[in-house]
Amino acid sequence: MTTLSGSHQGTLESLLSRLETVTSRLENIQGGTGGEGSVNAHPTSSAGPGAGAGSTPASSSSVADYKSLTGPAVAALLEAAQPLGAEILKASELVEKAFLAQAGVVAAIAQCKKPTPNELPILVAPVAEHMQAATAMTEGRRSAVFNHQKVVAESLHALSWMVYTGPNCGLSLPPQHVEESWQSAEFFANKVMMEFRNADSRHVDWVKALKQLFQQLKAYVKQHHMAGPSWNPRGVPLTDFKADKNASAASSPGPAVVSASAPRPPPPGPSKGGPAAPPPPPPGSLFQPKSPTAAAPAASTSSSGMSAVFSELNKGGNVTSGLKKVTDDMKTKNRADRSGAVPSSAPSSSTTTNKATATKAPVQAPPKLELVLGRKWSIENHTDNRSLIVDQTDPKQSVYIFNCTNCTVQVQGKVNAITLDSCTRTGLVFQDLVSSCEVVNCTSVEVQSTGIMPTIAIDKTDGIALYLSEASLGVAITTAKSSAINVVVPGNGESDPLELPVPEQFVSTFRDGKLLTEAVTHSGA
C-alpha cells in the first residue's frame, strides 16, 4: 500500500479542511432558525417557509462526493507541481482556486432552486475569473512552460458545465462537455509528455495528475448532474442563499457574490466631534475674467476694432484709396513662372524637433542566438542577417525563432521541433525533425525541409512557400487563418519542381444529417 509523503498529506488535510468549512457554512444556512454557527438537527421541520428546503439526502451526497472525488486529486496535482518551478506551480494553484470556487457553486446547486438567467452569471463569476486568469497566462510572448500553461487553460473550460441550461444553450451535456474540454487540452498534454518523457519524468507525473483530476470531475458530474445541473426544486431562492453566504464570507473561502437586490450602505454621517465642514466653493468659470482690470483691455480692444471697421465702411468710394496698385509685372499672365506653386519656407528648428520626437522609432530589443538550459535554441530580434546557423544540435532540443526580419536561418542535424513566430520575409532551412514545425503570425516566409518532417502547422500566416524534399512528401499540413500557402514538391525525374496551392475557399453543405465541407474548385482552372 502506497503511503503519502509529509507534504502531500499536509496539502490534502489543508484542502479537506477548507472544503469542510464551506460545508459547515452551508449546513448553517439549511438550519434557517439557528444563530450563526449553529446547526439545525431537523432541517425538514416546519420552522418556517423554506427553512430546511435545501437539506435533502441527495444534496448532502452531492457536496460530499465532490469533496471526496476532487479533493485528493487536487492535492496530488499540487504535490506534483512543487518541484517543477514557480510558473507551473502558479498554474496548478489556479486549478486549485477554480475547484474551490466551484465547490461553492456545487453547494448552491444542491440547496437552491433554478436561478434566473441574470442570477446564474453572478454565481459562477468567481470560477470564470480563475478561468480567465489561466487563459491570460498563455497570451503574449511564449514562456518556456507554454505547453503546461496551455494544458491548464484548455482543461479549465470543463468547469463551464455549471452553466448548461438545455439542448439549445451551445454546450454539450455536462459529462460530455468535461470530456471534450480535456480532449482539447490533451493536444498540449501530449506535447509536454513527448518533450519530457526521457528528460524529466516529473513533468509526465504532473500531466497524469491533472488528467486524473478531470477524470474524477467527469465521474462526479456523470453521477449527480448527468442531464445538467441538478437544482433543488424544494430549495431556497438563489438570492437568499447568496445573502446568507455574504454574512459569513469574511471568515471562510468561497464565491462571495453580491446580490443585485441588496440595499446600498447609507452615506457617512457627520463626525462625533461636531458638524462636518462645508464643501469648498465651486471653481470659477474658465470663461470669466480673473479681475475687472484684466477684462477692461479686452473690452476696449474689441470695441475699438469694430469702430474702426465701421469707420472704414463709411468712407464710401475712398475705402480703396489705401490699397497698393498692381503693376503689369505682378500680373500672372506676364509672369515667367506661371505654375502657381507657392514656395515653401524653411521649417523652423522647433517644428523639426517636434516631428523627430513624434516619429521616434520604438526601442528594438537586442538580437539573441543562444541555447537555453541545454534544451532550446532561441533566435530573436535579428534584422538583415542571412547567416544565422545552428549546427550543434540534438534530437531532444527545439528551436524557437521570434521577431526576425529579412533573415535566413539554417538548422543542421536533427532537432525535436522548430517554431517560427512573428517573422517577416525570413527563410528557414532544416534537415530532420522528430515531431513538428510550427509557423505562427508570420508574413512572406519560406520554409524548406531537406530531410524528414512528420507534420507542419501554419496559423495566422499571410504568404508562405513550403519546399518539401523526397523524404518529407508524407508530411501532414495543418492550416488555420492563413492565406497564400504554396507547397513546392520535387518533379518526376528531371522535370521542374511542381508548385501546388493550398485551398483557401470552402463550401459546406448539409447532406444526410451531416455537414460536408469541400474545397471550392473552379471550372477551367
Side-chain angles (χ1 to χ4, degrees):
M1 180 176 181
T2 304
T3 59
L4 296 178
S5 63
S7 60
H8 187 175
Q9 186 173 2
T11 306
L12 176 59
E13 292 177 354
S14 175
L15 180 60
L16 292 178
S17 176
R18 295 172 68 180
L19 291 175
E20 288 171 358
T21 304
V22 174
T23 306
S24 299
R25 291 176 51 234
L26 296 175
E27 291 174 349
N28 294 339
I29 294 172
Q30 294 175 9
T33 58
E36 184 177 357
S38 64
V39 179
N40 192 350
H42 303 283
T44 56
S45 62
S46 58
S55 58
T56 62
S59 65
S60 301
S61 173
S62 174
V63 176
D65 288 349
Y66 180 83
K67 291 194 302 180
S68 62
L69 288 174
T70 63
V74 170
L77 176 67
L78 292 177
E79 184 187 16
Q82 287 289 342
L84 301 183
E87 290 184 297
I88 299 178
L89 181 59
K90 180 181 178 182
S92 303
E93 289 174 347
L94 274 178
V95 177
E96 178 196 22
K97 294 176 182 178
F99 272 80
L100 285 175
Q102 185 179 232
V105 181
V106 167
I109 293 175
Q111 299 199 24
C112 298
K113 299 178 181 178
K114 186 175 182 179
T116 64
N118 294 331
E119 294 172 342
L120 184 57
I122 301 176
L123 175 65
V124 301
V127 182
E129 290 179 1
H130 299 309
M131 295 169 61
Q132 293 171 359
T135 302
M137 294 174 60
T138 64
E139 297 174 349
R141 183 177 175 182
R142 294 188 177 185
S143 67
V145 294
F146 171 80
N147 289 328
H148 298 73
Q149 296 169 340
K150 198 67 176 177
V151 174
V152 170
E154 293 292 334
S155 61
L156 281 182
H157 288 130
L159 304 189
S160 57
W161 66 267
M162 302 173 295
V163 298
Y164 178 85
T165 56
N168 298 324
C169 69
L171 295 177
S172 304
L173 289 171
Q176 184 180 354
H177 175 71
V178 174
E179 178 66 22
E180 292 172 353
S181 299
W182 175 252
Q183 289 176 356
S184 299
E186 199 166 22
F187 173 79
F188 299 95
N190 290 337
K191 283 189 172 184
V192 175
M193 298 181 70
M194 183 178 298
E195 180 179 358
F196 295 96
R197 179 174 51 192
N198 298 324
D200 191 347
S201 61
R202 295 176 298 179
H203 293 264
V204 178
D205 295 337
W206 179 83
V207 171
K208 291 180 179 179
L210 185 64
K211 182 176 182 179
Q212 178 64 21
L213 172 60
F214 284 93
Q215 287 178 344
Q216 294 293 81
L217 176 63
K218 179 183 176 182
Y220 164 77
V221 171
K222 188 174 182 180
Q223 180 179 356
H224 294 279
H225 308 281
M226 182 68 181
S230 302
W231 299 96
N232 192 342
R234 298 172 51 202
V236 298
L238 187 59
T239 52
D240 296 344
F241 174 80
K242 288 184 289 186
D244 292 339
K245 286 179 69 66
N246 285 335
S248 57
S251 60
S252 60
V257 185
V258 180
S259 174
S261 60
R264 296 180 179 272
S271 59
K272 296 181 180 180
S285 173
L286 296 176
F287 301 100
Q288 294 179 355
K290 295 183 178 180
S291 63
T293 58
S300 61
T301 302
S302 176
S303 60
S304 62
M306 294 304 297
S307 300
V309 172
F310 284 112
S311 63
E312 291 291 332
L313 292 176
N314 290 333
K315 291 181 180 180
N318 297 327
V319 70
T320 61
S321 59
L323 298 178
K324 184 184 293 186
K325 184 173 180 59
V326 179
T327 60
D328 289 341
D329 60 327
M330 299 172 62
K331 295 180 180 179
T332 303
K333 64 180 181 179
N334 299 327
R335 289 175 54 188
D337 180 15
R338 300 178 58 181
S339 63
V342 179
S344 60
S345 59
S348 62
S349 60
S350 61
T351 305
T352 305
T353 303
N354 292 338
K355 289 183 178 180
T357 304
T359 59
K360 184 180 295 183
V363 179
Q364 179 71 18
K368 181 173 66 172
L369 194 160
E370 62 182 4
L371 180 61
V372 181
L373 299 177
R375 297 184 307 179
K376 172 180 167 184
W377 284 97
S378 180
I379 306 173
E380 302 180 7
N381 307 317
H382 287 271
T383 303
D384 298 326
N385 191 344
R386 299 290 182 178
S387 58
L388 296 171
I389 301 176
V390 178
D391 52 1
Q392 299 178 3
T393 58
D394 186 88
K396 297 181 181 179
Q397 296 174 349
S398 62
V399 180
Y400 180 68
I401 308 168
F402 174 76
N403 192 28
C404 292
T405 304
N406 291 329
C407 296
T408 300
V409 182
Q410 299 181 38
V411 181
Q412 300 177 0
K414 179 185 290 187
V415 294
N416 185 19
I418 299 178
T419 300
L420 193 64
D421 187 3
S422 302
C423 294
T424 304
R425 298 187 297 277
T426 296
L428 170 63
V429 182
F430 57 88
Q431 292 183 2
D432 295 328
L433 288 181
V434 176
S435 59
S436 64
C437 175
E438 295 185 27
V439 183
V440 185
N441 296 323
C442 293
T443 303
S444 302
V445 296
E446 296 181 344
V447 177
Q448 181 177 1
S449 169
T450 61
I452 299 174
M453 177 174 58
T455 61
I456 181 170
I458 304 172
D459 190 12
K460 298 179 182 178
T461 295
D462 185 13
I464 175 174
L466 177 61
Y467 297 88
L468 302 180
S469 63
E470 291 286 350
S472 60
L473 291 179
V475 64
I477 304 174
T478 303
T479 63
K481 297 182 180 180
S482 300
S483 60
I485 304 174
N486 294 303
V487 181
V488 182
V489 299
N492 296 326
E494 297 181 355
S495 60
D496 294 335
L498 181 62
E499 184 174 1
L500 305 172
V502 175
E504 301 177 20
Q505 189 176 10
F506 303 89
V507 58
S508 300
T509 55
F510 187 76
R511 301 175 188 171
D512 301 329
K514 297 181 180 180
L515 188 65
L516 304 178
T517 302
E518 300 175 348
V520 174
T521 57
H522 301 279
S523 60

